[in-house]
Structure formats: structure tokens, C-alpha cells
Amino acid sequence: MPRFESVDHLTEYRRQLKARLDPNQLQVLVCAGPGCLPLGSEELAQAFQEALAEKGLDGKVALKATGCHGLCAHGVRVLIRPREIAYERVTLADVPEIVEATLVNGQPVERLMQRDPTSGALCPCKADLPFYQAQQPLVLRKLDLIDPESLDDYLAVGGYRTLRKVLFKMTPDDVIDAVEQSGLRGRGGAGFLTGRKWRICREAEGDVRFIISNGDEGDPGAFMDRAVMEGDPHSVIEGMIVGGYAIGARQGYIYVRHEYPLAVKRLRLAIEQAREAGFLGANILRSGFNFDIKIAQGSGAFVCGEETALISSIEGHIGEPQPRPPYPAQAGLFGLPTIINNVETWANIPEIINMGPQWYAAMGTENSKGTKVFSLVGSVNHTGLVEVPMGTTLRQIIYDLGGGIPDGRPFKAVQTGGPSGGCIPAQFLDLPVDYDSLQQVGSIMGSGGMIVMDDTSCMVDVSRYFIGFLYDESCGKCTPCREGLKQLKHFYEEITQGRGEEAHLDLMEELCQAMAGASICGLGQSAVNPVLSTLKYFRHEYEAHIRDKKCPALVCRPLLTYTVDPETCTGCLACVRECPVAAISGKKKEAQEIDQELCIKCGLCFESCQFDAVRRE
């Protein structure tokens, strides 16, 4: 890779690069995203390389390990271009057949093709699957196209074209104007207008400013930013360089979770490549603009997703939030003006500048522009990453893209916005997903986590889990959050253990109001969302736990009762053998009986019975 000393040099290199690319060349694109890596996608790519060499196709067929293909539920996914043949659940044993049938003879392998989960119909091409048809990829559009470790691949699809445009055709104010006109809101939390934040920072006093990309993605079930950092790292870097130019910063930091080693590896490689190419460092493309990026690794503290705690961590202090104002845009890293946006926000910037703010603003709703990436997980057929225009309804995301609920079970709720988000019931399935609509029903956008639940979920237990998670992750600095979460955790333990009282529900609501108004940072302020939303929409489940000492979803074990149906029991003694406390008695080939005084509600008898004789209620 040469060092580009001028725009003309870059333009000529890109022309030569495109001239070398054959649009008709066969490509094997193996998903190496977060969902497929644990399934052996690296070994699969190696197997393809060996099989291609054996058939004499090495060099004739392009092989790439790409970023996430989106449909994580059906990994490992393999895409054959240019025919766009999509294979799913590919294993090492399938590689020789794919090479022989598809790459040598041009015939698809039908048994590996993706299928519509509703109709069961074959969907030979990627675009045939409903999961992809309703999406509008912008941030995710390059993830299954490029090798994330290849700068050439990024340049071939238009990479760093925006940087060239910004440095030589736009002033810093022009860039900020464009971001403001686009209506882009921060994709990592409260949704503050990105352009407004940038302008505040640029107008702040002082000559030294900083840029930070927040890659501390700690929400359970969320992997949007991870997929972008691992699959398209240069888009984040390019966005940050543009942001640095706009606000007058010379140094940027990418803050990444320690639990994302592959993201760290690929970001470091991308930063080195960008430096060698002249996109980072001194006098970028001889424009006179200097900017560089460092990586800062977090230690797994969820609270460091909050911007002031993140800043403290980069500075080498304990990751604790600080009272605001002043806001980081005015006094952030080392007390100097600092812009913090999350990974997805930065990845949007090159597209906005390149395509124009009006193009971007035409997508989405009046107050929520553009697209949003969600990690769709839980009780849904097609788990994975989706990117849709703001304003797409929950029903469209869960049923059209996600393929609905497994086994046809009823939809119960969806939680958006991570552990601090609210649980939204079925009555709001047609709710448009945007910042304002979610807030109106007691939830948040957050970074884009979306957990779907069916009728087997206990909403009391769901809220208990998230409160426990937030209690463990609270930094403990402020009393409302520290003591409030401790008390909420205690109330949930009482309710799910069968010791709950109706007075607890009023106390929980009162406590939530105090936490929301008095906590220092967003963790404590928004931790109340799962509590208040479930109390509002699923209060009957709380009342069943308290009044009837029953869990309607049969999840909370201390409230369950196990009995044996004498008409069904065959006396096989399987339950007797599994019971750890000898609570089951009876003769062989006769009905057994469970001593309720001895039973510890472990459920092993229920799980071991092959004749459905053990009843749980």
C-alpha cells in the first residue's frame, strides 16, 4: 500500500484498483461475524482455501472472511457472488460439495440454501429472504462485501472518498452544517443531535479538542458496534477523522471493551494501515490537517458506557460518572472540549457527507432521521443484526424481518435499549420505532438492543434479572443509584421467593421516581425503566406472585409446585433416581408421590419424566 501524498495520487490508485477488479469473478464470502466465529468460520475459510487450491481455483476464485452477514441464527453463512447464492448452516463437511457443484459446475446446493421460515420456500439468493428485503442497510452495507483487514477492499467500495471531499472542498463549518441538516442523532443513548453537539464543541474556548468513539457496548444481547468494529473498522476511523476536522481536534480515541479482542485487533490494523496510507498523522493528504487515533481498552465496567465515566477511564482514573454540566463538549477529556459519539454514529458520517444531508434526512421520521441498527435476539426465528429506517414498526421488525416467534408461540413483550430499557407489550406492536415513540411507552432507543419474549417469559423475573445486572454494574458513587438498586433487588427477591407484599409495589414505584430524578448518571436514571414498564403493563403478574404465590409463566421456581399424576405415572422411578433430597416415594410400577415439605423445587423430576406424569404449576 503506497503512502498517498495528494488527492490525485489517491484518485489514480483507486482507478487502477477498480480496473484490476473483475465484476464477474466468483467470490466466496464466509461470514466471520460475532455469530459465526464461534461456529468455526475461520476453520471453514481455511477449508475453502484448501479445496480451491486442490481444484486449481486458487487465484481464480476470490475468498474472503468478511464481517457479519446479519442472519446470525443460521450460521455459518456463505455467500457466493456475483450470483448472490446464499448458503446457511455450512459446515466443514459441506465445503467440497459447494466447491464442486457451485464453483466448478455452476449448480447450487439446494439443501444448504436459505428458506423462508414461514412458508418453507427456498430463497436461492440473499435478497429473496424476507429478513433482507425490508432492510435498508447503510452502516451495515459493506459488512458482507469486504475483507475487514484489507484497506484495498475499503477503497474499492468508496472508502476515504468522503475524507478527500471534506479536506479539499468543505470548511469545518460546512461539515457541521451538513451533519446538522441530516438530523443525525447519537446512536448510543439519549439521541442528542450530533451536529448540535459538534457545534457546541467547536465554539468552546481553547485550542485543543478531542474526539472519542464509544465502543464500550455492554448491553446483554447487543453486538451492533462490535460487528461494525470487526467488519468495517475503516468506516469508524474515516468518520472520526471527518469529525476531528470539523471541530478542530488533532487526537482521537476509540474506547473498546476488553471483551472484544477481535475488534481491538482489527481496529489496530486499520489504524496502522490508515497511517501508512497517509490518512492519519501529520499533514493528511498534504492538506495541512493533522489527526491521529489511539485505542483505549476498557476493563468490562458497564458504567463506562456513560460518557463521563468513559472519560475518567481513559484518563487513568476509576470509571465513575461526573455531575453535568459542564458537558464533555465543553469540558471533557483532561478538562478540554471533547466529542463522544458511539461507533454506529461515526460510521454514519462518511455516508452523510458523501451522499448529502438531504438524502439522509429523507429517511426515517420527522424527529428521528436515517436508519438504525438493531441486534434482534431472544424468542424470534431470525436472530441477528438488522438495519431499518427509523419509524419501522416493532411488528415489521419482529415478524417481517425476524420471522416471528418460534413454534408459533404468542408474542409477549420486547425490551429495547438494553438493561435500562422498558418492556413493551403486544398492544404496541404497531408502534413506530423512533426516539420519541419509545420514550412515550416507557422505553428507550439506547444503542439498539432488542430482546423479544414469548409467553414463556415471566416479566417479574425479566425485570429482576436486569435490576440484578444493573446492581452489579453500578459504580456505587451516588446514593440514589447504589441504595435504590439494592432495595429494588431486595424487593424482587422477596416477590419471586413468595414473600412479596402488595405494599412492595407502591414502594418500588416511589423508589423509582426518586432514582430517576436524583441519580448522577444515565445508569441510575434509566435503571427504573424495566421496573416501571413491567409494573404498568404486567402488574397482574406481580399480583399473581404476591397474592396467589404463583408464577403464571412457571419460571420462578420457589413458587412452583410439583405433583405426580397417578393416572399417567408408570412407576419407572426415573424421578426417584434424579431427586437430590429423596422427596419422591413409591413402589416400582406404581404411581409415585412427592413430599411437598421435602421438595426443593429443583425441577429435576419434571425434566427426567418421559411420560409427562410430573406436573408443574
Side-chain angles (χ1 to χ4, degrees), residues 334-396:
F334 307 118
L336 299 167
T338 304
I339 286 298
I340 303 180
N341 287 121
N342 86 320
V343 167
E344 184 182 343
T345 310
W346 289 117
N348 270 289
I349 296 300
E351 301 294 338
I352 290 172
I353 301 299
N354 185 47
M355 300 298 293
Q358 290 75 23
W359 166 82
Y360 189 84
M363 296 181 283
T365 65
E366 183 178 356
N367 295 320
S368 300
K369 303 296 187 182
T371 63
K372 181 71 188 78
V373 180
F374 295 98
S375 61
L376 186 63
V377 298
S379 296
V380 63
N381 282 307
H382 282 169
T383 56
L385 288 182
V386 300
E387 184 173 5
V388 294
M390 289 281 196
T392 303
T393 66
L394 288 170
R395 187 185 302 276
Q396 290 172 307

Coordinates of all heavy atoms in Angstrom, one line a residue, residues 334-396:
F334 N -9.4 15.4 30.0 CA -8.4 16.3 30.5 C -8.9 17.7 30.7 O -8.1 18.7 30.6 CB -7.1 16.3 29.7 CG -6.5 14.9 29.4 CD1 -6.4 14.4 28.1 CD2 -6.1 14.1 30.5 CE1 -6.0 13.1 27.9 CE2 -5.6 12.8 30.3 CZ -5.5 12.3 29.0
G335 N -10.2 17.8 30.9 CA -10.8 19.1 31.1 C -11.0 19.9 29.8 O -11.4 21.1 29.9
L336 N -10.8 19.3 28.6 CA -10.8 20.1 27.4 C -12.0 19.6 26.5 O -12.6 18.5 26.7 CB -9.5 19.8 26.6 CG -8.2 20.3 27.3 CD1 -7.0 19.7 26.6 CD2 -8.2 21.8 27.3
P337 N -12.5 20.5 25.6 CA -13.7 20.2 24.8 C -13.5 18.8 24.1 O -12.5 18.6 23.4 CB -13.8 21.3 23.8 CG -13.1 22.5 24.5 CD -12.0 21.8 25.3
T338 N -14.6 18.0 24.2 CA -14.5 16.6 23.7 C -15.8 16.2 23.1 O -16.8 16.4 23.7 CB -14.1 15.6 24.8 OG1 -12.8 16.1 25.4 CG2 -13.9 14.2 24.3
I339 N -15.7 15.5 21.9 CA -16.9 15.0 21.3 C -16.8 13.4 21.5 O -15.9 12.8 21.2 CB -16.9 15.3 19.8 CG1 -17.3 16.7 19.6 CG2 -17.9 14.4 19.1 CD1 -18.7 17.1 20.1
I340 N -17.9 12.9 22.1 CA -18.1 11.5 22.2 C -19.3 11.0 21.4 O -20.4 11.5 21.7 CB -18.2 11.0 23.7 CG1 -17.0 11.5 24.5 CG2 -18.3 9.5 23.8 CD1 -17.1 11.1 26.0
N341 N -19.1 10.2 20.5 CA -20.2 9.5 19.8 C -19.9 8.0 19.7 O -18.8 7.6 19.8 CB -20.4 10.0 18.4 CG -21.0 11.4 18.3 OD1 -20.4 12.4 17.8 ND2 -22.2 11.6 18.9
N342 N -21.0 7.2 19.6 CA -20.7 5.8 19.6 C -20.3 5.3 18.2 O -20.4 6.1 17.2 CB -21.9 5.0 20.1 CG -23.0 4.7 19.1 OD1 -23.3 5.6 18.2 ND2 -23.5 3.5 19.1
V343 N -19.9 4.1 18.1 CA -19.4 3.5 16.8 C -20.4 3.7 15.7 O -20.0 4.1 14.6 CB -19.1 2.0 17.0 CG1 -18.8 1.4 15.7 CG2 -17.9 1.9 17.9
E344 N -21.6 3.4 15.9 CA -22.6 3.5 14.8 C -22.8 4.9 14.3 O -22.9 5.2 13.1 CB -24.0 2.9 15.2 CG -25.0 2.9 14.1 CD -26.4 2.4 14.6 OE1 -26.4 1.8 15.7 OE2 -27.4 2.7 13.9
T345 N -22.7 5.9 15.2 CA -22.8 7.3 14.8 C -21.7 7.7 13.9 O -21.9 8.3 12.8 CB -22.8 8.2 16.0 OG1 -23.8 7.7 17.0 CG2 -23.1 9.6 15.7
W346 N -20.4 7.3 14.3 CA -19.3 7.6 13.4 C -19.4 6.9 12.1 O -19.0 7.5 11.1 CB -18.0 7.2 14.1 CG -17.7 8.1 15.3 CD1 -17.6 7.7 16.6 CD2 -17.4 9.5 15.3 NE1 -17.3 8.7 17.4 CE2 -17.2 9.9 16.7 CE3 -17.4 10.5 14.3 CZ2 -16.9 11.2 17.0 CZ3 -17.1 11.8 14.7 CH2 -16.8 12.1 16.0
A347 N -19.9 5.7 12.0 CA -20.0 5.0 10.7 C -21.0 5.6 9.8 O -20.9 5.4 8.6 CB -20.3 3.5 11.0
N348 N -21.9 6.4 10.3 CA -22.9 7.2 9.5 C -22.3 8.4 8.8 O -22.8 8.8 7.8 CB -24.1 7.6 10.4 CG -25.2 6.6 10.5 OD1 -25.9 6.4 9.5 ND2 -25.4 6.0 11.6
I349 N -21.3 9.0 9.4 CA -20.7 10.3 9.0 C -20.3 10.2 7.5 O -20.6 11.1 6.7 CB -19.6 10.8 9.9 CG1 -20.2 11.0 11.3 CG2 -19.0 12.0 9.3 CD1 -21.3 12.1 11.4
P350 N -19.4 9.2 7.1 CA -19.0 9.3 5.7 C -20.1 9.2 4.7 O -20.1 9.8 3.6 CB -18.1 8.0 5.6 CG -17.6 7.8 7.0 CD -18.7 8.2 7.9
E351 N -21.1 8.4 5.0 CA -22.3 8.3 4.1 C -23.0 9.6 4.0 O -23.5 10.0 2.9 CB -23.2 7.1 4.6 CG -22.5 5.8 4.7 CD -22.1 5.2 3.4 OE1 -22.7 5.6 2.3 OE2 -21.2 4.4 3.3
I352 N -23.2 10.3 5.1 CA -24.0 11.5 5.1 C -23.2 12.6 4.3 O -23.8 13.3 3.5 CB -24.2 12.0 6.6 CG1 -25.2 11.1 7.3 CG2 -24.6 13.5 6.6 CD1 -25.3 11.4 8.8
I353 N -21.9 12.7 4.5 CA -21.2 13.7 3.7 C -21.1 13.3 2.3 O -21.2 14.2 1.4 CB -19.8 13.9 4.3 CG1 -19.8 14.3 5.8 CG2 -19.0 14.9 3.5 CD1 -20.5 15.6 6.1
N354 N -20.9 12.1 2.0 CA -20.8 11.7 0.6 C -22.1 11.8 -0.2 O -22.1 12.3 -1.3 CB -20.3 10.2 0.6 CG -20.0 9.7 -0.8 OD1 -19.3 10.4 -1.6 ND2 -20.4 8.6 -1.2
M355 N -23.2 11.3 0.4 CA -24.5 11.3 -0.3 C -25.2 12.6 -0.1 O -26.2 12.9 -0.9 CB -25.3 10.1 0.2 CG -24.7 8.8 -0.1 SD -24.4 8.4 -1.8 CE -26.1 8.3 -2.4
G356 N -24.9 13.4 0.9 CA -25.6 14.6 1.1 C -26.6 14.5 2.3 O -27.3 13.5 2.5
P357 N -26.7 15.6 3.1 CA -27.6 15.6 4.2 C -29.1 15.4 3.9 O -29.9 14.8 4.6 CB -27.4 16.9 4.9 CG -26.8 17.8 3.8 CD -26.0 16.9 3.0
Q358 N -29.5 15.9 2.7 CA -30.9 15.8 2.3 C -31.3 14.4 2.0 O -32.4 13.9 2.4 CB -31.2 16.7 1.1 CG -31.2 18.2 1.3 CD -29.7 18.7 1.5 OE1 -28.8 18.1 1.0 NE2 -29.6 19.9 2.2
W359 N -30.3 13.6 1.4 CA -30.5 12.2 1.2 C -30.8 11.5 2.5 O -31.7 10.7 2.6 CB -29.3 11.6 0.5 CG -29.2 10.1 0.4 CD1 -29.9 9.3 -0.4 CD2 -28.5 9.3 1.3 NE1 -29.5 8.0 -0.2 CE2 -28.7 8.0 0.9 CE3 -27.6 9.6 2.4 CZ2 -28.1 6.9 1.6 CZ3 -27.0 8.5 3.0 CH2 -27.2 7.2 2.6
Y360 N -29.9 11.8 3.5 CA -30.1 11.1 4.8 C -31.4 11.5 5.5 O -32.1 10.6 6.0 CB -28.9 11.4 5.6 CG -28.8 10.6 6.9 CD1 -28.2 9.3 6.9 CD2 -29.3 11.1 8.1 CE1 -28.1 8.6 8.0 CE2 -29.2 10.3 9.3 CZ -28.6 9.1 9.2 OH -28.5 8.3 10.4
A361 N -31.7 12.8 5.5 CA -32.8 13.3 6.2 C -34.1 12.8 5.6 O -35.2 12.8 6.2 CB -32.8 14.8 6.2
A362 N -34.1 12.3 4.3 CA -35.3 11.8 3.7 C -35.7 10.4 4.2 O -36.8 10.0 4.0 CB -35.1 11.7 2.1
M363 N -34.8 9.8 4.9 CA -35.1 8.5 5.6 C -35.6 8.8 7.0 O -35.1 9.7 7.7 CB -33.9 7.6 5.6 CG -33.4 7.2 4.2 SD -32.0 6.1 4.3 CE -30.7 7.2 4.6
G364 N -36.4 7.9 7.5 CA -36.8 8.0 8.9 C -38.1 8.9 9.1 O -38.9 9.0 8.2
T365 N -38.2 9.4 10.4 CA -39.3 10.2 10.7 C -38.9 11.7 10.9 O -37.8 12.0 10.7 CB -39.9 9.7 12.0 OG1 -39.0 9.9 13.1 CG2 -40.3 8.2 11.9
E366 N -39.9 12.5 11.3 CA -39.6 13.9 11.4 C -38.5 14.2 12.4 O -37.6 15.1 12.2 CB -40.9 14.7 11.8 CG -40.7 16.2 11.8 CD -42.0 16.9 12.2 OE1 -43.1 16.2 12.3 OE2 -42.0 18.1 12.4
N367 N -38.5 13.5 13.5 CA -37.6 13.8 14.6 C -36.5 12.8 14.8 O -35.6 12.9 15.6 CB -38.3 14.0 15.9 CG -39.2 15.3 15.9 OD1 -38.8 16.3 15.4 ND2 -40.4 15.1 16.5
S368 N -36.6 11.7 14.0 CA -35.6 10.6 14.1 C -35.2 10.2 12.6 O -35.9 9.4 12.0 CB -36.2 9.4 14.8 OG -36.5 9.7 16.1
K369 N -34.1 10.8 12.2 CA -33.7 10.6 10.8 C -32.8 9.4 10.6 O -32.2 9.0 11.5 CB -33.0 11.9 10.3 CG -33.8 13.2 10.4 CD -35.1 13.2 9.5 CE -35.7 14.5 9.6 NZ -37.0 14.6 8.8
G370 N -32.8 9.0 9.3 CA -31.9 7.9 8.9 C -32.3 6.5 9.3 O -33.5 6.2 9.4
T371 N -31.3 5.6 9.4 CA -31.6 4.2 9.7 C -31.1 3.9 11.1 O -30.3 4.7 11.7 CB -30.9 3.3 8.7 OG1 -29.5 3.5 8.8 CG2 -31.4 3.6 7.3
K372 N -31.5 2.8 11.6 CA -31.0 2.3 12.9 C -30.6 0.8 12.9 O -31.4 0.1 12.3 CB -32.0 2.6 14.0 CG -31.5 2.2 15.4 CD -30.4 3.1 15.9 CE -29.8 2.6 17.2 NZ -28.8 1.5 17.0
V373 N -29.5 0.5 13.5 CA -29.1 -0.9 13.5 C -29.6 -1.5 14.9 O -29.4 -0.9 15.9 CB -27.6 -1.1 13.4 CG1 -27.2 -2.5 13.5 CG2 -27.1 -0.5 12.2
F374 N -30.2 -2.7 14.8 CA -30.7 -3.4 16.0 C -30.1 -4.8 16.0 O -29.9 -5.4 15.0 CB -32.2 -3.5 16.0 CG -32.9 -2.2 16.1 CD1 -33.4 -1.6 15.0 CD2 -33.1 -1.5 17.3 CE1 -34.1 -0.3 15.0 CE2 -33.7 -0.3 17.4 CZ -34.2 0.3 16.2
S375 N -29.8 -5.2 17.2 CA -29.5 -6.6 17.4 C -30.8 -7.3 17.9 O -31.3 -7.0 19.0 CB -28.4 -6.9 18.4 OG -28.7 -6.4 19.7
L376 N -31.3 -8.1 17.0 CA -32.6 -8.8 17.3 C -32.4 -10.1 17.8 O -31.9 -11.0 17.1 CB -33.4 -8.8 15.9 CG -34.8 -9.4 16.0 CD1 -35.7 -8.4 16.8 CD2 -35.4 -9.5 14.6
V377 N -32.7 -10.3 19.1 CA -32.4 -11.6 19.8 C -33.6 -12.0 20.6 O -34.6 -11.3 20.8 CB -31.1 -11.4 20.7 CG1 -29.9 -11.1 19.9 CG2 -31.3 -10.4 21.8
G378 N -33.4 -13.2 21.2 CA -34.5 -13.7 22.1 C -35.4 -14.7 21.3 O -34.9 -15.5 20.5
S379 N -36.7 -14.7 21.7 CA -37.6 -15.6 21.1 C -38.1 -15.1 19.7 O -39.3 -14.7 19.5 CB -38.8 -15.8 22.0 OG -38.4 -16.3 23.3
V380 N -37.2 -15.2 18.7 CA -37.5 -14.8 17.4 C -36.8 -15.8 16.4 O -35.7 -16.2 16.8 CB -37.2 -13.3 17.2 CG1 -35.7 -13.1 17.3 CG2 -37.6 -12.8 15.8
N381 N -37.4 -16.1 15.3 CA -36.8 -17.1 14.4 C -35.5 -16.7 13.8 O -34.5 -17.4 13.7 CB -37.8 -17.5 13.3 CG -38.9 -18.4 13.8 OD1 -38.6 -19.5 14.4 ND2 -40.1 -18.1 13.6
H382 N -35.4 -15.4 13.4 CA -34.2 -14.9 12.7 C -33.5 -13.9 13.6 O -33.7 -12.7 13.5 CB -34.6 -14.2 11.4 CG -34.9 -15.1 10.3 ND1 -35.5 -14.7 9.1 CD2 -34.7 -16.5 10.2 CE1 -35.7 -15.8 8.3 NE2 -35.2 -16.8 8.9
T383 N -32.7 -14.4 14.5 CA -31.9 -13.6 15.4 C -30.7 -13.0 14.5 O -30.2 -13.7 13.6 CB -31.4 -14.3 16.6 OG1 -30.6 -15.4 16.2 CG2 -32.5 -14.8 17.5
G384 N -30.3 -11.8 14.8 CA -29.2 -11.3 14.1 C -29.2 -9.8 14.1 O -29.9 -9.1 14.9
L385 N -28.5 -9.2 13.2 CA -28.4 -7.7 13.0 C -29.3 -7.3 11.9 O -29.3 -7.9 10.8 CB -27.0 -7.3 12.7 CG -25.9 -7.4 13.8 CD1 -24.6 -6.8 13.2 CD2 -26.3 -6.6 15.0
V386 N -30.1 -6.2 12.2 CA -31.0 -5.7 11.1 C -30.7 -4.1 11.1 O -30.4 -3.5 12.1 CB -32.5 -6.0 11.4 CG1 -32.7 -7.5 11.4 CG2 -32.9 -5.4 12.7
E387 N -30.9 -3.5 10.0 CA -30.8 -2.1 9.8 C -32.0 -1.6 9.0 O -32.2 -2.0 7.9 CB -29.6 -1.7 9.1 CG -29.4 -0.1 9.1 CD -28.1 0.3 8.6 OE1 -27.3 -0.6 8.1 OE2 -27.8 1.5 8.6
V388 N -32.8 -0.8 9.7 CA -34.1 -0.4 9.1 C -34.2 1.2 9.2 O -33.6 1.8 10.1 CB -35.3 -1.1 9.7 CG1 -35.3 -2.5 9.4 CG2 -35.3 -0.8 11.2
P389 N -35.1 1.8 8.4 CA -35.3 3.2 8.6 C -36.0 3.5 9.9 O -36.8 2.7 10.3 CB -36.2 3.6 7.4 CG -36.0 2.5 6.4 CD -35.7 1.3 7.2
M390 N -35.7 4.6 10.5 CA -36.4 5.0 11.7 C -37.9 5.1 11.4 O -38.3 5.6 10.3 CB -35.9 6.3 12.2 CG -34.5 6.3 12.8 SD -34.5 5.7 14.5 CE -32.9 6.2 15.0
G391 N -38.7 4.6 12.3 CA -40.1 4.7 12.1 C -40.7 3.3 11.7 O -41.9 3.1 11.6
T392 N -39.8 2.3 11.4 CA -40.3 1.0 11.1 C -40.9 0.4 12.4 O -40.5 0.7 13.5 CB -39.1 0.1 10.7 OG1 -38.5 0.7 9.6 CG2 -39.6 -1.3 10.4
T393 N -42.1 -0.3 12.2 CA -42.8 -0.7 13.4 C -42.1 -1.9 14.1 O -41.4 -2.7 13.4 CB -44.2 -1.0 13.1 OG1 -44.3 -2.2 12.2 CG2 -44.9 0.2 12.4
L394 N -42.5 -2.1 15.3 CA -42.0 -3.3 16.0 C -42.5 -4.6 15.3 O -41.8 -5.6 15.2 CB -42.5 -3.3 17.5 CG -41.8 -2.3 18.4 CD1 -42.6 -2.2 19.7 CD2 -40.4 -2.7 18.6
R395 N -43.7 -4.6 14.8 CA -44.3 -5.7 14.2 C -43.5 -6.1 12.9 O -43.2 -7.2 12.6 CB -45.7 -5.5 13.8 CG -46.4 -6.7 13.2 CD -47.8 -6.4 12.7 NE -48.7 -5.9 13.8 CZ -49.3 -6.6 14.7 NH1 -49.2 -7.9 14.6 NH2 -50.1 -6.1 15.6
Q396 N -43.1 -5.1 12.1 CA -42.3 -5.3 10.9 C -41.0 -5.9 11.3 O -40.5 -6.8 10.6 CB -42.1 -4.0 10.1 CG -43.4 -3.5 9.5 CD -43.2 -2.1 8.9 OE1 -42.8 -1.2 9.6 NE2 -43.5 -1.9 7.6

